[in-house]
Amino acid sequence: FFTRSAIMNSNVKIRKERSLEGEASWMEKILPWEKSRVLRGSFTMEKEGALFLCPEAGMDYLLYSRERDPETRLTDFRCLLLQPTVLEEHSVCFQLSFHENGKTKPTLRAVFGLIPKVDVPVPFDFRWLNSQKIFPERTVGRQKMTVFGKSIRPEDVSEIHLQTSPGFGPFRIHFQKCRLLDWIPAVRIPQKQLIDDLGQWIPKSWDGKVQGREECNGILRSLDQKARRSDGSFSIPDWDRYGGYSKKHFSKTGWFHVEKDQRRFFLCDPDGNAFLSTGIDCISPGVETFIRPVAPWVGEKQRNRRFYNYGIENLKEAFGPKNWRSAWARIVKDRLKSWGVNTIGNWSDPDFIRFADMPWVLPADSAAENGFPQTKFRIFRDFPDVFSEEYQKSSEKYAEGLAPFRDDPNLVGYFMRNEPAWAFVYGLDLGEETLANPDPLASKNWMIARLKEKYGDISSLNSAWSARFSGFSSLREPIRRAASLSAGAAADLREISKAMLDRYVSVPAEALRRVDPHHLNLGMRYAFITDPVLLTGASNFDVFSLNCYQRTPYDPVEQAGKLLDMPVMVGEFHHGALDRGLTAHGIRGVTTQEERGTAYRYYMEQALLSRYFVGAHYFQLNDQSCLGRLDGENYQIGILDVCMQEYKGMTDGMKACHSDLYPVALGKKEAFRRIPEEVVPIHY
């Protein structure tokens, strides 16, 4: 064990934070590089650490092994501290993998990102091993962190691997010594301005980079002049005022609804015309930069703010504090109509929705005062105690958020929520998690009553589960990994999980329908289908929705649509490139802005080959902040940059796709087939 002075002598200063319990015992241990094991990649020793050469496939380094270092007990420590510096021009995605008692596959993974060319210490708090937080709070200098997998106790960790995602070529990272600490350090990062006053990344040059305030003002004012000359209609012939297809008619109800002909499902607009939704999420002026974790990297003007929106500040400089918002709205509406975008997607500006007079969708949880229904005690992450009376009452309150919109004919429908955190875990068993939970859960009482009704006496349950419970009341004590007891236990818990998930969906869905009988229930927007059990409760939806970041959503749309005999909408997708602006692609990466347009067109038109596909919404209108939004995402995924310049290669592909949208859906025109030039993406 080593002293505190080793940390204080490093290049990046770290200080201890006082805990509520008072002074801690200062204990740390350096994990020496030379005593560990490189599984992929290579490194050379340096005075303050090691220089890693990461191959294109990514680095894999066995940072800790209980077998190789039995004297080091993770239970003695509070966190693992890494101190990497990315030496390339792009960001890098790292991963900490925690293996349980010698298992080959990690039980839990923590993925996080770092921007290039700066020293950033990254503490990993061992409390996050309980997997209750999918997005741990952002530490200074670090970008987004995401936790995947099931909980693991520190005493059960047999190996910790430090890895990087694959790259599009070899890349280099410098590491100072990695340490185990028995406290959580506060991190300080070097002061070095990385973002200019327009919101652009300083270390990089690219075609279209704006050279100062005067040029930015000129761009924005020119866009407003063009918007003022627009007649406000879609640029595509045969589209009605909603963006529906005037050559394909169904019943006219005055509301958006679902129709099905001999060929496929359609949405139908209030005028009775076939409607396929081409949407964009997050239509808002600019994106906020979260200043606190990156304050040394911004200018003096921004340093004392909690959030700073460079996009809005650019608009204010061009149009003044009173006129900037109306100018922004005119520009964006003109852009949407010219691109053939017919739907305002989730999390968009409410004033713009009213101004644009276009179809739009509502995230119902954002309209509710307290969000999606929750309870005091939760099963796992954000999964509530669904059999409690509290959940029923919370659902009624949640549904009241729809009331102001129930008579709006432009509203296509509402998503119940977006990407539940509990659903990110493959193999998650809600019944098993309920048994493992120590809280006084109504759902656990319901489960015990159900098992008692099925088995009658405890001996029958013990026989089926290969267990030794003294009575049904003993099920109230926490039981870990109950599904592994026997095939009978696994089968019972899976059926219990289905019942819990059905109630999770049906209780709030029925409440929503009572408040608003007119609009479409568009589902939950699951991040991905980790298990077919997620389809449970879909009978409450009019449209099933999922977010899909594959090359094309055809397969997941087709699979869900066939199983449910229901139309399917994609809530999110995107593609980014590093030839302009930022240092990370997002979830899908391509080579250039032109290839982003190709990727968009391929994604949408291949999806149209599924009879269940009724639309997709691109995420998002603006590039993210190059230093990171609230959670630290900093992706080049926008259709507009921070100065509202469109990425023309991208928008040309969008316009071509939308012009052919209905002919391709009706089989009158062949779907676009050229696969985009993709690269391994940088995302976290």
Side-chain angles (χ1 to χ4, degrees):
F1 292 95
F2 297 82
T3 66
R4 175 188 176 207
S5 61
I7 288 184
M8 297 308 295
N9 290 333
S10 67
N11 292 336
V12 182
K13 301 299 181 186
I14 303 166
R15 62 177 175 80
K16 173 183 171 289
E17 289 181 336
R18 287 183 181 271
S19 67
L20 294 177
E21 295 81 12
E23 289 292 334
S25 60
W26 292 90
M27 187 167 68
E28 61 176 283
K29 179 171 184 179
I30 293 175
L31 296 174
W33 301 112
E34 61 273 16
K35 290 188 178 180
S36 297
R37 183 181 172 199
V38 177
L39 303 176
R40 190 170 56 239
S42 61
F43 72 91
T44 56
M45 296 298 300
E46 295 186 344
K47 183 178 179 181
E48 292 295 335
L51 178 64
F52 276 81
L53 180 62
C54 306
E56 190 170 331
M59 175 187 79
D60 188 355
Y61 174 72
L62 181 59
L63 186 64
Y64 164 79
S65 168
R66 188 172 61 199
E67 181 181 359
R68 296 164 68 92
D69 189 6
E71 294 181 1
T72 299
R73 299 178 302 176
L74 295 186
T75 51
D76 289 336
F77 299 95
R78 178 70 181 279
C79 82
L80 168 66
L81 180 69
L82 311 173
Q83 293 184 248
T85 304
V86 175
L87 300 180
E88 307 300 328
E89 299 297 328
H90 54 76
S91 299
V92 167
C93 179
F94 296 83
Q95 177 171 283
L96 286 169
S97 297
F98 296 85
H99 294 250
E100 185 173 9
N101 294 328
K103 293 181 180 178
T104 303
K105 291 185 177 180
T107 299
L108 181 140
R109 300 179 296 118
V111 175
F112 64 92
L114 295 178
I115 61 174
K117 301 292 181 73
V118 286
D119 299 332
V120 180
V122 180
F124 180 86
D125 189 335
F126 286 148
R127 289 178 298 182
W128 297 337
L129 292 176
N130 67 11
S131 195
Q132 292 299 320
K133 286 188 176 182
I134 184 172
F135 303 120
E137 54 268 22
R138 192 173 171 193
T139 54
V140 174
R142 171 174 61 71
Q143 304 307 119
K144 183 179 181 181
M145 178 180 281
T146 307
V147 174
F148 298 94
K150 298 182 178 181
S151 65
I152 181 171
R153 297 179 298 192
E155 59 265 34
D156 292 333
V157 175
S158 57
E159 290 183 352
I160 303 174
H161 289 246
L162 173 60
Q163 300 156 316
T164 67
S165 62
F168 33 90
F171 52 99
R172 298 163 303 142
I173 303 168
H174 181 270
F175 280 92
Q176 295 181 45
K177 291 180 174 65
C178 299
R179 297 173 171 90
L180 293 169
L181 309 176
D182 73 341
W183 77 96
I184 302 296
V187 178
R188 296 173 183 167
I189 54 178
Q191 186 162 319
K192 176 183 179 181
Q193 187 171 348
L194 298 174
I195 188 171
D196 68 20
D197 286 344
L198 301 179
Q200 301 175 116
W201 180 244
I202 289 175
K204 184 175 179 179
S205 296
W206 62 90
D207 290 340
K209 187 174 186 179
V210 179
Q211 303 301 311
R213 176 64 62 196
E214 186 176 345
E215 183 181 355
C216 182
N217 288 346
I219 290 168
L220 292 168
R221 290 165 185 165
S222 177
L223 290 171
D224 186 44
Q225 290 169 7
K226 176 182 177 298
R228 288 174 182 272
R229 296 192 295 268
S230 172
D231 65 1
S233 60
F234 287 106
S235 61
I236 302 172
D238 303 319
W239 280 29
D240 67 16
R241 81 165 207 83
Y242 296 100
Y245 194 48
S246 60
K247 291 187 175 181
K248 179 71 173 176
H249 305 288
F250 292 102
S251 58
K252 181 177 180 179
T253 67
W255 307 100
F256 282 92
H257 58 282
V258 170
E259 294 278 5
K260 180 182 179 183
D261 64 12
Q262 293 180 337
R263 182 177 182 85
R264 62 170 5 262
F265 282 96
F266 280 98
L267 300 181
C268 189
D269 70 28
D271 285 347
N273 295 322
F275 182 88
L276 297 171
S277 183
T278 63
I280 297 177
D281 291 323
C282 304
I283 298 178
S284 296
V287 175
E288 290 186 321
T289 298
F290 185 28
I291 299 297
R292 183 188 61 77
V294 297
W297 298 339
V298 303
E300 288 188 24
K301 180 180 177 181
Q302 297 83 27
R303 200 164 292 156
N304 294 322
R305 302 274 288 272
R306 185 165 187 264
F307 291 98
Y308 192 86
N309 190 318
Y310 288 89
I312 288 180
E313 296 304 319
N314 291 341
L315 288 159
K316 286 180 178 178
E317 289 285 345
F319 302 108
K322 293 183 179 180
N323 299 320
W324 71 267
R325 181 172 283 277
S326 58
W328 169 80
R330 282 192 297 271
I331 293 168
V332 172
K333 181 177 179 180
D334 178 56
R335 285 270 174 76
L336 298 183
K337 293 294 183 79
S338 70
W339 298 334
V341 172
N342 64 13
T343 308
I344 300 170
N346 260 19
W347 311 296
S348 292
D349 184 87
D351 291 336
F352 178 75
I353 291 171
R354 288 187 286 270
F355 166 81
D357 191 25
M358 291 174 60
W360 64 290
V361 294
L362 174 71
D365 55 332
S366 70
E369 182 179 348
N370 297 314
F372 190 82
Q374 281 298 335
T375 54
K376 178 181 178 181
F377 299 113
R378 302 179 184 184
I379 306 295
F380 176 77
R381 291 186 178 173
D382 56 352
F383 194 93
D385 189 2
V386 292
F387 281 93
S388 67
E389 184 179 350
E390 184 185 4
Y391 188 63
Q392 180 72 53
K393 291 180 178 178
S394 182
S395 294
E396 298 291 341
K397 188 71 174 174
Y398 156 76
E400 291 173 6
L402 274 186
F405 314 107
R406 59 179 292 168
D407 297 322
D408 185 351
N410 281 335
L411 178 60
V412 178
Y414 50 85
F415 295 102
M416 292 182 66
R417 68 168 306 172
N418 182 70
E419 296 189 350
W422 60 267
F424 275 77
V425 179
Y426 284 92
L428 181 70
D429 189 316
L430 292 167
E432 183 178 64
E433 294 296 333
T434 303
L435 281 180
N437 194 312
D439 293 327
L441 299 168
S443 295
K444 185 178 285 192
N445 293 336
W446 166 84
M447 176 194 296
I448 292 170
R450 176 170 169 147
L451 291 171
K452 192 171 185 179
E453 180 181 1
K454 177 177 179 178
Y455 288 103
D457 57 71
I458 197 63
S459 61
S460 298
L461 175 66
N462 282 336
S463 177
W465 282 32
S466 299
R468 295 181 178 180
F469 301 125
S470 59
F472 284 102
S473 61
S474 61
L475 296 175
R476 291 191 170 85
E477 297 300 318
I479 303 167
R480 283 175 56 84
R481 304 286 195 265
S484 64
L485 292 172
S486 70
D492 282 342
L493 291 172
R494 186 167 182 81
E495 290 306 308
I496 286 168
S497 292
K498 287 181 179 179
M500 293 176 70
L501 185 53
D502 184 73
R503 188 165 178 84
Y504 173 78
V505 176
S506 63
V507 171
E510 290 166 3
L512 290 166
R513 192 74 74 185
R514 287 192 292 271
V515 171
D516 182 357
H518 305 309
H519 295 112
L520 296 172
N521 184 323
L522 301 175
M524 290 275 184
R525 287 171 63 118
Y526 289 116
F528 35 81
I529 304 303
T530 54
D531 191 295
V533 74
L534 291 183
L535 303 181
T536 305
S539 59
N540 295 279
F541 307 147
D542 300 297
V543 176
F544 188 82
S545 59
L546 71 163
N547 298 339
C548 181
Y549 286 90
Q550 298 183 20
R551 181 184 292 165
T552 166
Y554 175 86
D555 285 342
V557 166
E558 188 74 4
Q559 290 164 6
K562 279 184 177 179
L563 285 169
L564 300 171
D565 191 29
M566 179 181 290
V568 179
M569 181 180 287
V570 175
E572 289 180 23
F573 72 105
H574 66 224
H575 309 82
L578 300 188
D579 59 338
R580 309 281 175 90
L582 288 77
T583 61
H585 300 92
I587 299 177
R588 301 293 299 192
V590 294
T591 53
T592 65
Q593 300 304 312
E594 288 69 30
E595 287 305 297
R596 290 182 68 206
T598 297
Y600 182 96
R601 192 173 181 190
Y602 185 84
Y603 186 99
M604 291 287 289
E605 295 193 32
Q606 289 297 307
L608 288 168
L609 298 178
S610 171
R611 65 194 300 265
Y612 304 102
F613 179 72
V614 293
H617 298 170
Y618 184 84
F619 188 89
Q620 55 187 49
L621 177 66
N622 305 295
D623 277 340
Q624 294 177 332
S625 167
C626 59
L627 292 180
R629 63 178 191 180
L630 177 63
D631 65 357
E633 283 189 13
N634 63 327
Y635 301 156
Q636 195 283 302
I637 52 175
I639 303 169
L640 302 176
D641 70 12
V642 73
C643 298
M644 289 195 74
Q645 297 181 109
E646 66 179 320
Y647 292 109
K648 195 169 184 305
M650 172 69 170
T651 57
D652 283 348
M654 293 174 66
K655 288 187 280 191
C657 170
H658 298 159
S659 294
D660 291 344
L661 186 75
Y662 294 106
V664 170
L666 293 167
K668 296 179 179 179
K669 197 164 187 175
E670 187 176 1
F672 185 75
R673 293 191 295 176
R674 187 171 85 73
I675 296 174
E677 296 176 2
E678 295 184 292
V679 294
V680 175
I682 300 167
H683 72 96
Y684 4 93

